[in-house]
Amino acid sequence: MTPEEVGRRLVALLAPVEATASVSGGQAYARATVDVPPASWRDALAAARDDVDLACDFFDWLSAVDQLADGCEVVSHLWSTGHRHGLLLRTRVPWDEPRVASVVDLYPGAAWHERETYEMFGVDFPGHGELRPLLLPPEFEGHPLRKEFVLASRVAKPWPGAKEPGESGAGGGRRPIRPPGVPAPGEWGPTPTPAGAAGVGEGPRGGTPARPVRESPPRPAPAERPTPAEPPAHPGSGSGPAGDDAGGNGGTA
């Protein structure tokens, strides 16, 4: 089946649900793409698996895309090992209620993908039953792949131009932004923040180095340098009184 035929087939199976079929980019690797409402998410994946013409028996991956004010887009890719075609399913959930039904009972391989998406984007998957942390420590707060999440590396290291939400659209100076609960750059690492600058993110630029620079003592002027001592004469060199006594050349019988 062509990508167009795959998309039309799934839309027909989901009728009267309002599903929209399209074709992704990628030329020879293009995939049928079907957008479904959140309430029909699980039904769409079940239909793609159980229909003999689609037979998408292999779960490839699941993730999400932050679409800012438009909500969060949950995306999943399925593959048919028998018919050799793929299917891209998408649904969009609002940020005030980011949840969509789990498909672990349909595709057990989706368990880790749903856990990661819950952890990174905050999308809940009712029916999963075990949305434990997968990549982050249990005490971590926030969802790092949301576009509103300010990365700690952006706080610790200045970046050119406007890179974070709330910054000016023009390049040049940037207002330091620090996410809640993240210490100022000078409060961690080897560079302390000077007094009165905590919380504004000026540690690396305005602080004093944690390890002071070791200054070498000034070198003396050439006239002040001590003259190196002359090496002592060798006992058998024949020079000086010691040499005359040893050799007998300067004495009389």
Side-chain angles (χ1 to χ4, degrees):
M1 299 176 69
T2 65
E4 292 81 3
E5 293 172 340
V6 171
R8 288 196 296 267
R9 177 62 180 172
L10 184 59
V11 170
L13 291 173
L14 295 176
V17 174
E18 294 183 1
T20 305
S22 59
V23 178
S24 70
Q27 299 177 357
Y29 302 97
R31 294 285 182 266
T33 304
V34 179
D35 293 277
V36 300
S40 302
W41 174 252
R42 189 183 180 283
D43 294 338
L45 273 79
R49 184 196 66 171
D50 298 336
D51 182 68
V52 293
D53 293 329
L54 297 180
C56 294
D57 54 346
F58 179 75
F59 180 88
D60 193 0
W61 55 266
L62 181 147
S63 188
V65 181
D66 185 349
Q67 299 291 359
L68 297 176
D70 294 332
C72 185
E73 195 170 62
V74 181
V75 187
S76 181
H77 184 260
L78 307 177
W79 179 258
S80 173
T81 57
H83 300 310
R84 310 296 297 174
H85 59 234
L87 174 61
L88 197 66
L89 285 169
R90 301 186 301 193
T91 190
R92 186 168 297 186
V93 296
W95 283 121
D96 57 352
E97 194 176 356
R99 64 169 53 96
V100 67
S102 174
V103 295
V104 173
D105 58 332
L106 299 175
Y107 295 99
W112 280 26
H113 297 256
E114 291 182 354
R115 286 173 59 187
E116 180 187 21
T117 305
Y118 171 74
E119 191 173 32
M120 295 295 172
F121 292 92
V123 178
D124 189 17
F125 292 89
H128 186 284
E130 198 179 3
L131 291 175
R132 296 180 290 106
L134 180 65
L135 302 176
L136 301 174
E139 64 274 9
F140 191 91
E141 297 182 2
H143 305 287
L145 291 188
R146 285 193 182 186
K147 294 180 181 178
E148 65 182 12
F149 188 87
V150 181
L151 298 177
S153 60
R154 298 281 178 87
V155 179
K157 180 179 180 181
W159 288 60
K163 296 294 183 180
E164 300 291 357
E167 295 180 342
S168 172
R174 62 189 301 271
R175 178 173 58 87
I177 296 180
R178 180 158 54 93
V182 176
E187 297 175 5
W188 55 10
T191 307
T193 301
V200 297
E202 295 181 354
R205 288 164 283 182
T208 57
R211 182 179 298 175
V213 179
R214 185 175 299 174
E215 298 182 358
S216 302
R219 300 185 61 183
E224 301 176 359
R225 294 179 184 175
T227 305
E230 296 182 0
H234 194 275
S237 62
S239 61
D244 294 341
D245 295 340
N249 294 332
T252 56

